[in-house]
Amino acid sequence: MTTTVNYGSRDVLLVVDMQNDFCEGGALGVEGGAALVPGINAEIEAARAAGAMVVASRDWHPVDHVSFTHRGGPWPVHCVQDTPGAAFHPDLTLPEDVIRVSKATAFNADAYSAFDGTGLGGYLQEKGIERVIVCGLALDVCVHATVLAASREGFTTLLLEALSAAVDPEAIEACHRDFEEAGVEVRT
Protein backbone atom coordinates (compact mmCIF):
# COMPACT_ATOMS: atom_id res chain seq x y z
CA MET A 1 0.00 0.00 0.00
CA THR A 2 1.23 3.45 -0.89
CA THR A 3 0.59 6.19 1.61
CA THR A 4 -1.73 9.00 0.56
CA VAL A 5 -0.42 11.34 3.26
CA ASN A 6 2.48 13.73 2.86
CA TYR A 7 3.81 13.62 6.41
CA GLY A 8 5.92 16.33 7.97
CA SER A 9 7.54 17.18 11.29
CA ARG A 10 4.38 18.94 12.55
CA ASP A 11 2.26 15.80 12.07
CA VAL A 12 1.43 12.89 14.34
CA LEU A 13 0.09 9.54 13.16
CA LEU A 14 -2.23 8.35 15.93
CA VAL A 15 -2.90 4.60 15.76
CA VAL A 16 -5.97 3.85 17.88
CA ASP A 17 -6.39 0.62 19.86
CA MET A 18 -4.91 -1.97 17.49
CA GLN A 19 -5.13 -4.54 20.28
CA ASN A 20 -5.82 -8.26 20.26
CA ASP A 21 -9.19 -7.91 21.98
CA PHE A 22 -10.40 -5.61 19.18
CA CYS A 23 -9.24 -7.89 16.35
CA GLU A 24 -11.01 -11.06 15.23
CA GLY A 25 -11.07 -13.67 17.97
CA GLY A 26 -10.80 -11.04 20.72
CA ALA A 27 -13.38 -10.16 23.37
CA LEU A 28 -14.69 -7.31 21.19
CA GLY A 29 -13.35 -8.37 17.81
CA VAL A 30 -14.05 -6.04 14.87
CA GLU A 31 -14.46 -7.74 11.51
CA GLY A 32 -11.53 -6.74 9.31
CA GLY A 33 -9.44 -5.49 12.22
CA ALA A 34 -6.38 -7.69 11.67
CA ALA A 35 -6.42 -6.93 7.94
CA LEU A 36 -5.65 -3.27 8.72
CA VAL A 37 -2.24 -4.08 10.21
CA PRO A 38 -0.11 -4.15 7.00
CA GLY A 39 -1.51 -0.80 5.83
CA ILE A 40 -1.03 0.77 9.26
CA ASN A 41 2.54 -0.56 9.36
CA ALA A 42 3.16 1.17 6.00
CA GLU A 43 1.77 4.43 7.41
CA ILE A 44 3.98 4.14 10.51
CA GLU A 45 7.01 3.66 8.25
CA ALA A 46 6.04 6.61 6.01
CA ALA A 47 5.38 8.89 8.99
CA ARG A 48 8.68 8.03 10.65
CA ALA A 49 10.62 8.44 7.40
CA ALA A 50 9.22 11.98 7.07
CA GLY A 51 10.04 12.94 10.65
CA ALA A 52 6.46 12.78 11.93
CA MET A 53 5.64 11.57 15.43
CA VAL A 54 3.83 8.25 15.91
CA VAL A 55 1.53 7.57 18.87
CA ALA A 56 -0.32 4.32 19.60
CA SER A 57 -3.25 4.41 22.02
CA ARG A 58 -4.63 1.44 23.90
CA ASP A 59 -7.42 0.55 26.28
CA TRP A 60 -5.67 -0.45 29.50
CA HIS A 61 -8.41 -1.41 31.95
CA PRO A 62 -8.07 -2.57 35.53
CA VAL A 63 -9.59 -6.00 36.24
CA ASP A 64 -12.92 -4.65 37.53
CA HIS A 65 -13.42 -1.67 35.18
CA VAL A 66 -16.67 0.33 35.25
CA SER A 67 -17.28 -0.27 31.51
CA PHE A 68 -17.64 -4.03 31.98
CA THR A 69 -21.14 -5.55 31.94
CA HIS A 70 -20.77 -7.09 35.41
CA ARG A 71 -20.29 -3.53 36.72
CA GLY A 72 -23.27 -2.19 34.76
CA GLY A 73 -21.25 -1.03 31.75
CA PRO A 74 -21.94 -1.71 28.06
CA TRP A 75 -18.98 -3.98 27.24
CA PRO A 76 -17.75 -7.48 28.04
CA VAL A 77 -14.43 -7.76 29.87
CA HIS A 78 -11.71 -6.60 27.44
CA CYS A 79 -8.21 -5.11 27.31
CA VAL A 80 -7.41 -5.86 30.94
CA GLN A 81 -3.96 -4.56 31.89
CA ASP A 82 -1.09 -6.98 31.24
CA THR A 83 -3.26 -9.63 29.55
CA PRO A 84 -2.80 -11.00 26.01
CA GLY A 85 -6.06 -9.31 24.96
CA ALA A 86 -4.69 -5.88 25.90
CA ALA A 87 -1.47 -6.40 23.92
CA PHE A 88 -1.04 -4.68 20.58
CA HIS A 89 -1.65 -6.96 17.58
CA PRO A 90 1.49 -9.11 17.23
CA ASP A 91 2.07 -8.05 13.61
CA LEU A 92 1.78 -4.31 14.34
CA THR A 93 5.22 -2.73 13.96
CA LEU A 94 5.70 -0.34 16.86
CA PRO A 95 9.34 0.75 17.09
CA GLU A 96 10.62 1.55 20.59
CA ASP A 97 10.33 5.33 20.11
CA VAL A 98 6.61 5.14 19.32
CA ILE A 99 4.71 6.80 22.16
CA ARG A 100 2.19 4.50 23.79
CA VAL A 101 -0.81 6.15 25.45
CA SER A 102 -2.95 4.14 27.89
CA LYS A 103 -6.56 5.19 28.44
CA ALA A 104 -9.41 4.14 30.73
CA THR A 105 -6.93 3.10 33.42
CA ALA A 106 -9.04 4.14 36.44
CA PHE A 107 -11.62 1.78 37.94
CA ASN A 108 -14.42 4.34 37.90
CA ALA A 109 -14.03 6.20 34.59
CA ASP A 110 -14.30 5.10 30.99
CA ALA A 111 -12.46 6.77 28.13
CA TYR A 112 -12.94 6.33 24.41
CA SER A 113 -10.70 9.05 23.02
CA ALA A 114 -6.91 8.85 23.19
CA PHE A 115 -7.17 12.41 24.56
CA ASP A 116 -9.47 11.48 27.50
CA GLY A 117 -7.54 11.99 30.72
CA THR A 118 -4.18 11.21 29.12
CA GLY A 119 -2.65 14.67 28.68
CA LEU A 120 -2.04 13.86 25.01
CA GLY A 121 -3.44 17.15 23.68
CA GLY A 122 -1.13 19.30 25.77
CA TYR A 123 1.84 17.07 25.02
CA LEU A 124 1.29 17.32 21.26
CA GLN A 125 0.89 21.11 21.49
CA GLU A 126 4.15 21.34 23.48
CA LYS A 127 5.86 19.39 20.69
CA GLY A 128 4.55 21.78 18.02
CA ILE A 129 2.19 19.26 16.40
CA GLU A 130 -0.38 20.89 14.11
CA ARG A 131 -2.03 17.94 12.38
CA VAL A 132 -3.30 14.63 13.77
CA ILE A 133 -3.76 11.72 11.34
CA VAL A 134 -5.93 8.95 12.84
CA CYS A 135 -6.48 5.27 12.00
CA GLY A 136 -7.32 2.07 13.88
CA LEU A 137 -10.20 0.51 15.83
CA ALA A 138 -13.02 0.94 16.04
CA LEU A 139 -14.19 3.60 13.59
CA ASP A 140 -17.57 4.07 15.27
CA VAL A 141 -16.29 4.02 18.87
CA CYS A 142 -12.74 4.99 19.91
CA VAL A 143 -11.59 6.26 16.50
CA HIS A 144 -14.73 8.42 16.32
CA ALA A 145 -14.12 9.86 19.79
CA THR A 146 -10.40 10.41 19.13
CA VAL A 147 -10.98 12.18 15.80
CA LEU A 148 -13.55 14.54 17.32
CA ALA A 149 -11.34 15.20 20.36
CA ALA A 150 -8.33 16.01 18.16
CA SER A 151 -10.44 18.52 16.27
CA ARG A 152 -11.76 20.06 19.52
CA GLU A 153 -8.16 20.35 20.77
CA GLY A 154 -7.48 22.60 17.78
CA PHE A 155 -5.53 20.22 15.57
CA THR A 156 -6.11 19.88 11.85
CA THR A 157 -7.50 16.36 11.79
CA LEU A 158 -7.42 13.70 9.09
CA LEU A 159 -9.04 10.27 9.32
CA LEU A 160 -7.62 7.42 7.24
CA GLU A 161 -10.90 5.56 6.86
CA ALA A 162 -9.41 2.75 4.76
CA LEU A 163 -7.21 1.93 7.77
CA SER A 164 -10.12 1.88 10.22
CA ALA A 165 -12.96 -0.59 10.72
CA ALA A 166 -16.31 -0.20 12.47
CA VAL A 167 -18.03 -2.45 15.00
CA ASP A 168 -21.33 -1.50 13.34
CA PRO A 169 -20.99 -0.61 9.64
CA GLU A 170 -24.46 0.98 9.84
CA ALA A 171 -22.99 3.65 12.16
CA ILE A 172 -20.42 4.91 9.64
CA GLU A 173 -22.81 7.35 7.99
CA ALA A 174 -23.55 9.06 11.32
CA CYS A 175 -19.80 9.21 12.02
CA HIS A 176 -19.27 10.92 8.66
CA ARG A 177 -21.83 13.57 9.58
CA ASP A 178 -20.03 14.21 12.88
CA PHE A 179 -16.67 14.44 11.12
CA GLU A 180 -17.99 16.84 8.50
CA GLU A 181 -19.57 19.03 11.18
CA ALA A 182 -16.22 19.11 13.03
CA GLY A 183 -14.28 20.03 9.87
CA VAL A 184 -12.39 16.76 9.78
CA GLU A 185 -10.96 15.51 6.49
CA VAL A 186 -11.80 11.88 5.73
CA ARG A 187 -9.72 9.89 3.24
CA THR A 188 -11.12 6.58 2.08
Side-chain angles (χ1 to χ4, degrees):
M1 176 188 159
T2 306
T3 182
T4 57
V5 178
N6 289 322
Y7 290 96
S9 61
R10 301 259 184 213
D11 293 332
V12 61
L13 174 64
L14 177 47
V15 179
V16 176
D17 300 359
M18 288 301 299
Q19 295 166 269
N20 290 327
D21 269 347
F22 295 132
C23 292
E24 294 87 347
L28 277 169
V30 177
E31 189 175 328
L36 302 174
V37 173
I40 291 173
N41 284 342
E43 288 300 317
I44 292 170
E45 191 176 314
R48 289 169 46 84
M53 183 185 296
V54 178
V55 172
S57 72
R58 65 183 178 180
D59 269 9
W60 197 245
H61 299 311
V63 170
D64 203 24
H65 191 251
V66 70
S67 73
F68 298 161
T69 51
H70 70 269
R71 293 264 331 261
W75 308 111
V77 173
H78 67 282
C79 297
V80 173
Q81 297 169 2
D82 296 315
T83 65
F88 289 109
H89 189 282
D91 296 332
L92 187 66
T93 304
L94 292 178
E96 284 188 24
D97 64 343
V98 167
I99 296 164
R100 291 151 175 86
V101 173
S102 300
K103 58 188 175 66
T105 60
F107 285 101
N108 63 347
D110 205 1
Y112 293 96
S113 163
F115 293 89
D116 277 351
T118 63
L120 181 60
Y123 176 77
L124 296 179
Q125 288 163 354
E126 282 175 27
K127 295 294 184 181
I129 297 299
E130 295 173 357
R131 182 172 66 158
V132 176
I133 298 107
V134 182
C135 61
L137 296 171
L139 175 62
D140 52 334
V141 187
C142 293
V143 168
H144 178 256
T146 298
V147 164
L148 295 178
S151 179
R152 276 193 307 276
E153 293 269 349
F155 298 105
T156 300
T157 308
L158 168 61
L159 169 65
L160 302 179
E161 186 173 357
L163 296 178
S164 303
V167 173
D168 177 9
E170 305 260 326
I172 295 172
E173 191 176 320
C175 291
H176 281 180
R177 285 193 296 273
D178 292 344
F179 298 151
E180 185 176 344
E181 194 174 290
V184 171
E185 181 184 351
V186 177
R187 291 202 193 156
T188 53

